[in-house]
Amino acid sequence: MQFLSMGRMKTKVAVILSGCGVYDGAEIQESVLTLLALAKAGAEVSCIAPDIAQRHVIDHATGEELEDEDRNVMTEAARISRGEILPFDNVRAENFDAFIYVGGFGVAKNLSSYAFDGSDYDVDPAVIDLIQSAHEAGKAQGFMCIAPVLAARALGAQHVQLTIGNDSDAATAIEAKGARHLACKVDSIVVDEANRVVSTPAYMLAKSITEAEAGINQLVNAVLKFC
């Protein structure tokens, strides 16, 4: 008699990017470390980005704004994903098992207004809707670097526990939305079991790619365990 073994389905994870480059988009090293950790874990990964204009374009060699340049967030994010990118508006919570939001100033400029408004910031309605929909569906969500400000705005009513490390201004902004901020070391994570949310400081604290890797690997592992 032959027995057929059932293959285990891969966990489907959406990685949300906000452009390409730490000063005006997604933090590239955080993005690559996240994608690498997910690949090693055998997850099926899709990169997601909004099809919108960047708020700024920054010369990363000088830090100066390039006022005459216009770039698209999704087009730039596709540089990181080697061309494989999905528009944010086409993504639904039911299509994935988990969502991970990478950091970088694109979060603070393109997905939210945190870079300009501080504690009075708001978040793109589509981003809020996806985070809340995923939460309601019981999906695992990870937020690194400055991305926890997105979760604070979307899930503040659930008093979600988050970390951006120990930056007092960002912590104040997070708690102003009703979330709870917990201080955290660069090589560690904060896990909110009730809300199925994981966060890590990454380059809010990291001084090197290896320091960022330690926390990001833990975040990815914790998110996948929820699945």
Side-chain angles (χ1 to χ4, degrees):
M1 181 182 293
Q2 280 189 321
F3 293 89
L4 298 179
S5 61
M6 297 295 290
R8 187 177 180 182
M9 294 183 66
K10 288 187 175 183
T11 303
K12 294 183 177 180
V13 182
V15 175
I16 291 80
L17 305 175
S18 56
C20 179
V22 58
Y23 300 124
D24 56 13
E27 214 296 323
I28 296 172
Q29 293 182 355
E30 290 180 1
S31 302
V32 173
L33 288 169
T34 300
L35 295 173
L36 179 60
L38 288 168
K40 286 184 174 180
E44 181 180 327
V45 180
S46 296
C47 289
I48 316 295
D51 186 7
I52 58 175
Q54 281 189 195
R55 184 66 181 264
H56 289 152
V57 178
I58 303 296
D59 181 336
H60 280 62
T62 65
E64 296 179 356
E65 181 181 356
L66 302 177
E67 297 181 1
D68 296 330
E69 284 203 34
D70 296 312
R71 297 187 187 179
N72 178 277
V73 171
M74 189 171 75
T75 301
E76 292 300 298
R79 295 176 181 272
I80 297 173
S81 62
R82 295 174 61 86
E84 297 292 331
I85 197 84
L86 296 175
F88 196 94
D89 289 345
N90 290 3
V91 175
R92 300 292 178 267
E94 59 265 25
N95 299 144
F96 295 92
D97 301 305
F99 297 83
I100 296 180
Y101 291 77
V102 174
F105 270 95
V107 168
K109 294 179 177 179
N110 302 324
L111 304 188
S112 76
S113 66
Y114 176 73
F116 312 104
D117 300 328
S119 294
D120 294 327
Y121 76 95
D122 208 344
V123 172
D124 186 293
V127 176
I128 294 174
D129 182 66
L130 182 59
I131 294 172
Q132 291 179 342
S133 296
H135 178 266
E136 291 166 6
K139 304 299 176 77
Q141 300 187 82
F143 300 85
M144 66 186 67
C145 194
I146 195 60
V149 300
L150 305 177
R153 171 63 180 85
L155 302 178
Q158 281 69 46
H159 305 295
V160 62
Q161 296 183 12
L162 301 161
T163 190
I164 44 73
N166 57 20
D167 183 272
S168 59
D169 290 340
T172 297
I174 283 172
E175 297 202 328
K177 302 300 183 188
R180 182 185 176 196
H181 179 266
L182 301 177
C184 180
K185 295 181 179 179
V186 65
D187 59 352
S188 191
I189 59 176
V190 165
V191 180
D192 184 330
E193 297 276 354
N195 290 301
R196 299 172 73 83
V197 167
V198 186
S199 52
T200 191
Y203 270 110
M204 288 294 289
L205 287 180
K207 303 300 183 184
S208 68
I209 191 170
T210 52
E211 284 191 353
E213 181 187 28
I216 289 172
N217 284 347
Q218 288 189 60
L219 179 144
V220 168
N221 289 334
V223 165
L224 294 177
K225 283 182 180 178
F226 275 128
C227 301

